[in-house]
Every structure is written in C-alpha cells, then in structure tokens.
C-alpha cells in the first residue's frame, strides 16, 4: 500500500482532513512557520542584493526532524499549507528543507484548497502543482520590507523615546491616521445651524413637513433666518403641489471578505478584529459537530474576493427557493464594483456545507463561535437573494415661494432582509403617509424650530479603521487585526467602549515618525507600495527591485534622525499603589513581558512590583480575590491571586461570582 504524506499548518486541520482519506495517507502539521528570519538580527543582507537569511525557528527543530523522517518513508509528499502567499512561502521553505535529501525531490507536490471538504481535498490531491514562486516572492517582499522598516526604525524609538516600542510599514500609517483624526476632532469648531418643520393635521393624523428652501435647498444658519421664514409665511396655508410615488430597491449585500467580516462582526457582535479572526480560523480548520465529527464549517478566511463557485451558487439558490420561494432567488447576481484587485485567488467567505445550518451547529459551538458562524451563514444566503423593495412617496408643499417636503417609505417586499439585516437596515422604519391629493391646503398647527451644531468627525472604531485602511489600499485585510493588536499592546492607542483614542506615547511616536520618516507614514506612498507588492504575486515586478528602490532613502533618513532627533520625555502613568520602601506613588512601566510597577525614584529606589488587576470577584475554591491575567497568546483569563497554592482559573468571568472587596480594574499592590 502506498504511503502518502500530507503536511498542513495546524493540528485542527489534521483531524478534519483525516476523515476524508484512507489509511494510505499520513497527515501532519508544521504548527505554523518552521523557517523564518532570525529575531536577534535584521536578517537581510543589504550589502548582498537584499538576500534574506533564513533559520529554523527556535523550538521547531525537533518537529522539522520528525517531518523529514516521515518524508523519507513516503512515496508522495503533498504540501497543503494555507492557500495564500504566506502558506505558499511555508511550503517553499519546507520543500527546500525536505529536498536536502535528494530522494525527496521528485515526490514533493503542492496542493491547496479553499474549503476543507471531502471533494475539495480529493480534487486538490488529483491536481497537484509546483510551488508558485511569484506568491513566494510576494511574501518575501513583504517580510523583507517589514523587516527593514521595523528593525531600523524601532531601535531609534527605543533610544529617543523608551524601550519596547516599535514601528511598522502598516502600523505606523494606521497610527498616523488615528492621530490625524484625533487632531481633527480637537481642532474642530462647531457651526450653528437650524432646522424648521411645520406640523400639519391630515385627517386624524399629524405629519411634519420639513423646510427645504426655494428653487434650491436653503440653509438656515441662525435663528433669525428661521423667524424670517415663519414671519414671511404668516398664517398662509401650505398647499400640496406635487405627489411623487416611486420605488426604491436595496440590493443584497455581497458575501464576506476578510475586511467586511471584521467590520460587520465589530458592529453587530462587538467583536475586536483579533477575536473575529481567531474564531473564524477555528471554524475554517474544523469543529467537532455532533453527529458529523470534525468539520471545517467555513471556507478560507483570508480573501479579498466576493465571488463564489458555480456549485455553491446553484446550491444556495436551491435552498432559497425551497425555504422562501422562487421569488426570493436572485435573478441578476450582485457584482462587486471595486476594480483593480490583484489578489482574487479565493472565493468569498461562506459556509462549506449549506446543510449544516447555524441551528444544527449551535449545540456543538461556543457562544461566540455560533454567533460568528450564524453571521457568515446568513450573509452568504442573503447575498444570493432578491433586492428588498420599498414603495416611496414624496410630497411637496408650497407657501409663498418656500417649499416643504414630506417623505414616506413602506417595505413592499423584504427580499434578502428576510435573512440578514445590517445596523442600517434595522434602523430603517416604515413611514406611511395619510391620503392626500394635489391642490389640498393645510393649516400650520405648529412651527417646530430647533438649533443644531455641526459635529466633529467621530473617533475611529476598529470597524471604521479597518474600512479606512482598506479603502486607502493600505496593508492587507489579513494584517489589520495584528496591526490594531500591536498598537494596543504598545499602548499607542487605547479603547473606550468601541472608540479608539491615541495616548500621549502614541502621539510622541507619531510625531517622530511624521517629522523624520514622512514617506513611511504617507498614505499615498504606502498604498502605491502595496500595489507594487501585489504586482509581485502575479509576476509583474521583481521584489528585489522594489526593495532596492526603497531602502537607501530609509537608511539615510535613519542615520540623520540618530544625529538630529532629541530624546523625548513621556510622563509615566501614576497609580495609587505606594512604594513600601520610599513612600512614592508607583508608576506603570513596560518591559519585555508587559506591564509592571516601578518606583519613580529610580535609580535611588529600585523597588518594583508585578502589575496585576483585580477581577472583581472571589475565588470559588478558596475565597481569595481573583485577578485578571493575559495568556501568552494575549487571551484574557481569571485566576486565584493565591496561585500556585490555589490553581483555580477560568476563561470566562462567572456571572454568579461572589463580589470581592476590590473593584474590577484596581491594581493589586
């Protein structure tokens, strides 16, 4: 019996794929990257054609040796890492390592699949291919560019501001966008304006006709403008001069891309972008669904495309017809109006199995997994449904030369709204107007005037920042979650509810970057660079050409900044915890492992303490205060403050927890 080896990235995929293949297949995982540039040095030979230096990642040597042993025994080797540039690069690195044994050279193939289903996996095995070096080079280009920016500018930030800071090709642009928005809000000066409407009695119903103007819309800048209109009209009635009835169609939304999934999950589910991507990854790799075993519930989650396969399109139309009726099936497919996309290698994000409804999967999923799966499932079904149709009615009134309008709207056919509603859809209400006819005149029962002021632009949320980054062509949607995560981790930004605010540290870093590296933080330059990097993936541009045109100017700017930039002092964040050695109030510092408390009297007083926040409830095992901690992967959990004497921990804060004396968020002394 033939011995075939399939190598994927994650152990979760191993379980899922094992169901589809027989005993002649061995499946193993790389556990992510095996080979990368060293963390301890730049890893790019700028003197030798920008050649990257690759090493085995620390801790991965044993796993790589195991894969090499399995490869020796295999008759065929299939590299089945993720179907994107990063996955292609992982396969390339692995192929080079396995090819060190010359016996492996002829038997290694690359396979990829957009969904982890039996048909997709078996079809991939039937159609193996070579490593796509254009995709590999596109990934190399990004890694090298990110290295050159991060590893040359970050040490400067350490030297001039404080240790532990970082700069990045996308990260620094995102920070500047947030700082610019904050500056715009702070500089905003509200302008006064007024609105005016007339309350009319139409039969037993009261309606409000809104002031429009004359031949064109007339602004009401101050109260005197409003009083002038009222005075000029006097007691004259408003005469109905026109009734216009029509129809408004609201098209079905497109299925999710990475970016739109992050945005909608933030709006509708209040998920941070990192949480959305983490849950989507688990849904893609495989979930143990009761009665079905381990199943990959959604297609690949890193995609810019909104297209779907003909097979999936036909299947969802059949489902819609059966459950809602043929009139709900989309006649003309909604198209994405965005142009110029290079990365369209995958389908949109959709359910892998339409027959596994959210209701069926609910029992097997965690609460948040279920909510995200339901969102993806409903969005996909809705994307192939007919438009919602509204009956509209616009009524015009006239008094003197002034025009007033009244608008009505009623949902006639719900279409896709039967399945999926965005925030905007939910906010839209039916407004049915009473029977009226042209020529009717109505007495003004009451004038309604109200003062308003223009509003400053809103603070960014994660959803609106992701949207702005995508619209600006900055970075890739798959990088938005880690970018925002890094900005939060470095304390450049902070979040209050959903709003993002820049910190004093963030402003200092942005000011230094803007003054000394204006090209790096320029949105236009970054978007153009992104386009060039994308062009590498289709073989249009040499990746080293991009790097050699970029690095000399960067290097020169760094050397100049080292000489000219003065050290920046950032005020430390003071706490209520008192230093038990000298009595000063301790401040929050940042080290390689996160926050800690330190005495501001350093170096005279070198006292430090761990930074721990109380969770606000008592340990159910021993009754001590519980504390809030963060795992190595950044996930928040709660544990007993008496650890290791008491080993109680939980990922979820208990709803029925006994409240302790300390409030949540207080710092543990």
């Amino acid at each position: 019996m033939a011995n075939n080896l399939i190598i994927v990235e994650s152990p979760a995929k191993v379980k899922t794929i094992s169901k589809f293949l027989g005993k002649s297949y061995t499946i193993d995982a790389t556990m992510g990257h095996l080979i990368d540039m060293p963390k301890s040095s730049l890893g790019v030979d700028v003197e030798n054609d920008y050649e990257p230096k690759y090493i085995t990642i620390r801790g991965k040597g044993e796993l790589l040796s195991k894969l090499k042993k399995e490869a020796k025994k295999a008759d065929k080797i299939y590299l089945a890492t993720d179907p994107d540039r990063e996955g292609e690069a992982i396969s390339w690195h692995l192929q080079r390592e396995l090819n060190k044994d010359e016996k492996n050279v002829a038997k290694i193939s690359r396979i990829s699949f957009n969904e982890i289903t039996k048909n997709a996996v078996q079809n991939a095995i039937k159609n193996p291919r070579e490593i796509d070096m254009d995709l590999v080079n596109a990934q190399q280009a990004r890694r090298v560019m990110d290295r050159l920016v991060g590893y040359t500018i970050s040490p400067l930030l350490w030297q001039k501001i404080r240790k532990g800071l970082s700069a990045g090709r996308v990260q620094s642009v995102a920070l500047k966008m947030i700082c610019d928005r904050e500056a715009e809000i702070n500089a905003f000066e509200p302008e006064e304006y007024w609105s005016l409407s007339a309350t009319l009695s139409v039969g037993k119903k009261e309606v409000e006709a809104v002031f429009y103007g004359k031949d064109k819309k007339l602004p009401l800048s101050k109260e005197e403008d409003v009083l002038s209109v009222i005075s000029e009209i006097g007691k004259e009635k408003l005469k109905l001069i026109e009734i216009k009835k029509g129809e408004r169609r609201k098209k079905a939304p497109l299925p999710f891309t990475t970016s739109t999934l992050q945005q909608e999950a933030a709006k509708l589910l209040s998920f941070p972008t990192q949480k959305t991507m983490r849950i989507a990854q688990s849904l893609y790799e495989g979930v143990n669904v009761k009665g079905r075993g381990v199943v990959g519930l959604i297609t690949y989650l890193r995609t810019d495309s909104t297209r779907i396969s003909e097979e999936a399109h036909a299947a969802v139309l059949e489902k819609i017809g059966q459950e809602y009726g043929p009139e709900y099936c989309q006649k003309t497919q909604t198209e994405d109006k965005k142009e110029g996309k290079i990365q369209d290698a995958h389908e949109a994000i959709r359910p892998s199995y339409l027959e596994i409804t959210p209701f069926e999967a609910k029992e097997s999923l965690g609460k948040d997994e279920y909510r995200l799966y339901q969102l993806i499932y409903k969005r996909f079904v809705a994307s192939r449904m007919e438009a919602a149709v509204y009956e509209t009615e616009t009524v015009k009134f006239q008094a003197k030369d002034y025009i007033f309008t009244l608008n009505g709207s009623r949902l006639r056919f719900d279409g896709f709204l039967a399945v999926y509603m965005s925030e905007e859809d939910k906010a839209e209400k039916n407004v049915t107007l009473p029977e009226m006819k042209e020529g009717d005149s109505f007495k003004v029962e009451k004038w309604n005037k109200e003062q308003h002021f223009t509003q400053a632009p809103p603070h960014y949320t994660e959803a609106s920042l992701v949207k702005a980054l995508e619209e600006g062509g900055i970075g890739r949607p798959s990088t938005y979650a880690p970018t925002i995560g890094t900005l939060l981790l470095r304390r450049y930004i902070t979040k209050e509810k959903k709003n993002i605010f820049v910190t004093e540290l963030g402003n200092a870093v942005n000011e230094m970057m803007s003054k000394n590296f204006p090209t790096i933080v320029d949105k236009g330059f970054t978007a153009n660079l992104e386009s060039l990097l994308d062009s590498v993936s289709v073989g249009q541009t040499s990746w080293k050409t991009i790097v050699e045109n970029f690095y000399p100017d960067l290097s020169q700017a760094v050397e100049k900044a080292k000489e000219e930039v003065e050290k920046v002092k950032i005020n430390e964040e003071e706490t209520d915890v008192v230093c038990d050695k000298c009595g000063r109030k301790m401040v929050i510092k940042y080290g390689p492992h996160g926050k800690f408390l330190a005495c501001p009297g350093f170096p005279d007083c070198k006292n430090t303490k761990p930074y721990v926040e109380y969770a606000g409830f008592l340990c159910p095992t021993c009754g001590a205060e519980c504390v809030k901690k963060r795992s190595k992967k950044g996930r928040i959990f709660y544990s007993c403050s008496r650890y290791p004497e008491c080993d109680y921990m939980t990922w979820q804060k208990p709803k029925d927890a006994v409240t302790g004396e300390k409030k949540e968020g207080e710092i543990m002394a």
Side-chain angles (χ1 to χ4, degrees), residues 217-324:
K217 191 168 180 65
L218 184 66
L220 301 171
S221 303
K222 50 189 181 296
E223 188 175 17
E224 288 77 6
D225 296 340
V226 176
L227 296 175
S228 174
V229 172
I230 295 172
S231 174
E232 194 172 337
I233 293 175
K235 294 185 178 180
E236 184 170 322
K237 292 183 177 181
L238 267 61
K239 183 180 180 181
L240 198 160
I241 60 171
E242 182 182 278
I243 298 176
K244 187 182 288 184
K245 294 189 177 183
E247 178 183 281
R248 176 167 60 89
R249 297 174 65 84
K250 181 179 282 189
K251 289 183 178 180
L254 294 162
F256 281 132
T257 62
T258 304
S259 171
T260 54
L261 175 62
Q262 291 172 353
Q263 292 172 51
E264 284 296 280
K267 290 177 186 176
L268 298 176
L269 308 179
S270 297
F271 284 2
T273 51
Q274 286 185 306
K275 180 176 182 177
T276 299
M277 295 301 284
R278 184 179 70 247
I279 295 173
Q281 184 75 31
S282 69
L283 293 175
Y284 164 68
E285 291 180 348
V287 176
N288 195 346
V289 177
K290 188 176 180 181
R292 294 179 181 269
V294 180
V295 176
L297 287 177
I298 65 170
T299 55
Y300 194 54
L301 61 149
R302 294 177 180 85
T303 176
D304 293 344
S305 177
T306 58
R307 62 180 181 79
I308 63 170
S309 68
E310 291 183 9
E311 182 184 358
H313 177 70
V316 73
L317 286 181
E318 182 180 355
K319 180 180 180 64
I320 293 166
Q322 290 173 351
E323 295 190 9
Y324 296 93

Side-chain angles (χ1 to χ4, degrees), residues 70-286:
E70 289 178 348
K72 282 183 179 180
K73 296 182 288 184
D75 298 310
K76 288 185 179 179
I77 303 167
Y78 299 99
L79 306 179
T81 51
D82 285 350
D84 57 14
R85 288 176 291 212
E86 192 168 8
E88 203 73 18
I90 292 173
S91 281
W92 176 64
H93 285 304
L94 187 54
Q95 182 190 52
R96 294 208 307 173
E97 289 296 319
L98 298 181
N99 278 349
K100 288 178 181 178
D101 181 344
E102 293 182 3
K103 295 178 181 178
N104 290 332
V105 174
K107 59 185 182 182
I108 298 177
S109 299
R110 170 77 166 119
I111 61 172
S112 59
F113 31 84
N114 189 54
E115 58 186 2
I116 307 179
T117 62
K118 185 174 183 178
N119 285 342
V121 173
Q122 289 182 343
N123 285 337
I125 292 172
K126 290 176 184 175
N127 298 283
R129 60 175 176 82
E130 298 292 322
I131 297 285
D132 187 332
M133 285 309 299
D134 288 335
L135 293 180
V136 172
N137 288 333
Q139 180 63 16
Q140 288 198 103
R142 289 176 182 281
R143 290 288 291 130
V144 168
M145 291 289 282
D146 290 343
R147 268 297 171 109
L148 293 175
V149 172
Y151 272 58
T152 56
I153 299 179
S154 296
L156 183 68
L157 298 178
W158 284 46
Q159 179 187 346
K160 303 295 184 179
I161 301 179
R162 79 159 53 141
K163 289 183 178 180
L165 304 183
S166 67
R169 187 175 57 84
V170 176
Q171 170 193 319
S172 298
V173 181
L175 177 61
K176 186 174 190 304
M177 290 169 64
I178 296 167
C179 290
D180 287 349
R181 175 61 62 87
E182 193 90 14
E184 192 179 353
I185 293 169
N186 293 335
F188 181 80
E189 293 185 7
E191 294 181 6
E192 180 184 10
Y193 71 98
W194 287 72
S195 61
L196 173 65
S197 65
T199 300
L200 311 176
S201 289
V202 182
K204 294 181 180 180
K205 189 172 182 180
E206 284 192 342
V207 296
E208 278 194 31
V210 178
F211 176 78
Y212 174 78
K214 294 186 176 181
D215 297 332
K216 59 182 180 180
K217 191 168 180 65
L218 184 66
L220 301 171
S221 303
K222 50 189 181 296
E223 188 175 17
E224 288 77 6
D225 296 340
V226 176
L227 296 175
S228 174
V229 172
I230 295 172
S231 174
E232 194 172 337
I233 293 175
K235 294 185 178 180
E236 184 170 322
K237 292 183 177 181
L238 267 61
K239 183 180 180 181
L240 198 160
I241 60 171
E242 182 182 278
I243 298 176
K244 187 182 288 184
K245 294 189 177 183
E247 178 183 281
R248 176 167 60 89
R249 297 174 65 84
K250 181 179 282 189
K251 289 183 178 180
L254 294 162
F256 281 132
T257 62
T258 304
S259 171
T260 54
L261 175 62
Q262 291 172 353
Q263 292 172 51
E264 284 296 280
K267 290 177 186 176
L268 298 176
L269 308 179
S270 297
F271 284 2
T273 51
Q274 286 185 306
K275 180 176 182 177
T276 299
M277 295 301 284
R278 184 179 70 247
I279 295 173
Q281 184 75 31
S282 69
L283 293 175
Y284 164 68
E285 291 180 348

